């Protein structure tokens, strides 16, 4: 396929630019930028034919950018044209890299690995109950308020009728204990560096 000429690409401007200074300058800018534009589209998108569409859009944007402005030098117009072209190339690259799945939910389930028995919701709930089995009820409630409902410490303290610092420290100790149960090989290695910053309200 023969390489396109600047005039082939300038059709997108129609008659809007007839008689204006931008048309001949754009033609020269396209002549200078077109070979690199084709190579970039082929290298980054794997399809050199995409360069035409991207360049036509860049031409329109360049014309809009300079509309109503005083005549510019070829270097300035070429720089703007290249910038708009590269922006379009990046957008096309991002679009091409997106994974698109189409079909009903049943169709997609076949693509998913079978869930492990330990990940079933009912068994996960049983595991959670076993983990919190020896946590006092009011402490469970405090943990749920703070880390589930994102309540402030003063609200948690008021709910369980304890001081703010007292319930905060109890929750920290309980979290440390629960972590050690989840990581049996690291018992006794928990440090304050592992703890979340609980000093906020």
């Amino acid at each position: 396929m023969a390489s396109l000429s600047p005039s082939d690409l300038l059709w997108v401007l129609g008659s809007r630019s007839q008689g204006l200074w931008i048309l001949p300058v754009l033609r020269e800018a396209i002549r200078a930028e077109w070979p690199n534009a084709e190579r970039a589209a082929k290298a980054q998108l794997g399809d050199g034919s995409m360069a035409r569409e991207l360049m036509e859009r860049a031409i329109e944007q360049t014309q809009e950018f300079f509309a109503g402005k005083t005549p510019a030098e070829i270097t300035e117009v070429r720089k703007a044209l290249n910038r708009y072209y590269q922006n379009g190339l990046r957008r096309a690259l991002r679009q091409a890299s997106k994974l698109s799945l189409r079909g009903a939910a049943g169709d997609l389930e076949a693509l998913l690995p079978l869930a492990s028995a330990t990940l079933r919701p009912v068994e996960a709930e049983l595991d959670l109950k076993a983990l919190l089995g020896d946590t006092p009820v009011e402490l469970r409630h405090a943990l749920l308020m703070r880390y589930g409902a994102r309540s402030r410490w003063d609200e948690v303290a008021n709910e369980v009728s304890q001081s703010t610092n007292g319930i905060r420290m109890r929750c920290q100790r309980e979290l440390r204990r629960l972590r050690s149960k989840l990581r049996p090989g690291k018992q006794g290695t928990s440090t304050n560096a592992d703890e979340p910053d609980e000093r906020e309200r």
Side-chain angles (χ1 to χ4, degrees), residues 10-57:
L10 279 170
W11 75 271
V12 294
L13 299 183
S15 60
R16 289 179 297 170
S17 298
Q18 295 299 322
L20 298 180
W21 68 268
I22 190 68
L23 197 62
V25 182
L26 255 179
R27 186 176 287 110
E28 291 304 313
I30 295 165
R31 184 175 287 115
E33 292 294 326
W34 181 245
N36 288 335
E38 279 187 306
R39 282 194 293 270
K42 186 172 183 180
Q44 296 187 44
L45 300 176
D47 184 3
S49 65
M50 287 289 292
R52 176 174 185 147
E53 180 181 342
L54 295 172
M55 181 59 80
E56 287 172 351
R57 180 64 185 136

Side-chain angles (χ1 to χ4, degrees), residues 86-106:
Q86 293 300 326
N87 288 343
L89 190 61
R90 282 190 288 271
R91 281 193 298 271
L93 191 59
R94 284 196 300 270
Q95 188 66 30
S97 66
K98 287 180 180 176
L99 177 63
S100 176
L101 292 176
R102 294 181 174 85

Side-chain angles (χ1 to χ4, degrees), residues 68-93:
K69 295 185 178 180
T70 56
E73 296 291 331
I74 178 67
T75 54
E76 189 177 351
V77 174
R78 184 176 173 183
K79 183 177 178 181
L81 180 67
N82 181 61
R83 181 175 67 248
Y84 288 123
Y85 181 83
Q86 293 300 326
N87 288 343
L89 190 61
R90 282 190 288 271
R91 281 193 298 271
L93 191 59

Side-chain angles (χ1 to χ4, degrees), residues 70-192:
T70 56
E73 296 291 331
I74 178 67
T75 54
E76 189 177 351
V77 174
R78 184 176 173 183
K79 183 177 178 181
L81 180 67
N82 181 61
R83 181 175 67 248
Y84 288 123
Y85 181 83
Q86 293 300 326
N87 288 343
L89 190 61
R90 282 190 288 271
R91 281 193 298 271
L93 191 59
R94 284 196 300 270
Q95 188 66 30
S97 66
K98 287 180 180 176
L99 177 63
S100 176
L101 292 176
R102 294 181 174 85
D107 299 330
L108 299 180
E109 285 175 5
L111 301 175
L112 300 174
L114 293 176
S116 169
T118 59
L119 298 180
R120 292 175 184 164
V122 173
E123 294 190 7
E125 184 178 352
L126 293 176
D127 289 343
L128 187 59
K129 286 182 178 178
L131 180 66
L132 298 174
D134 51 357
T135 300
V137 175
E138 75 277 3
L139 198 50
R140 282 192 222 173
H141 186 63
L143 289 168
L144 182 61
M145 282 188 68
R146 176 61 184 173
Y147 301 105
R150 303 298 297 168
S151 300
R152 297 193 313 268
W153 279 119
D154 58 346
E155 295 172 332
V156 177
N158 185 58
E159 182 72 18
V160 297
S161 302
Q162 294 186 29
S163 70
T164 302
N165 284 338
I167 192 60
R168 182 172 59 82
M169 294 304 295
R170 284 190 68 195
C171 286
Q172 281 184 317
R173 284 194 296 269
E174 185 62 15
L175 285 175
R176 193 179 300 119
R177 188 185 69 80
L178 292 172
R179 285 193 189 102
S180 69
K181 288 179 70 173
L182 291 171
R183 298 180 295 181
K186 296 185 177 181
Q187 286 185 6
T189 62
S190 176
T191 66
N192 288 335

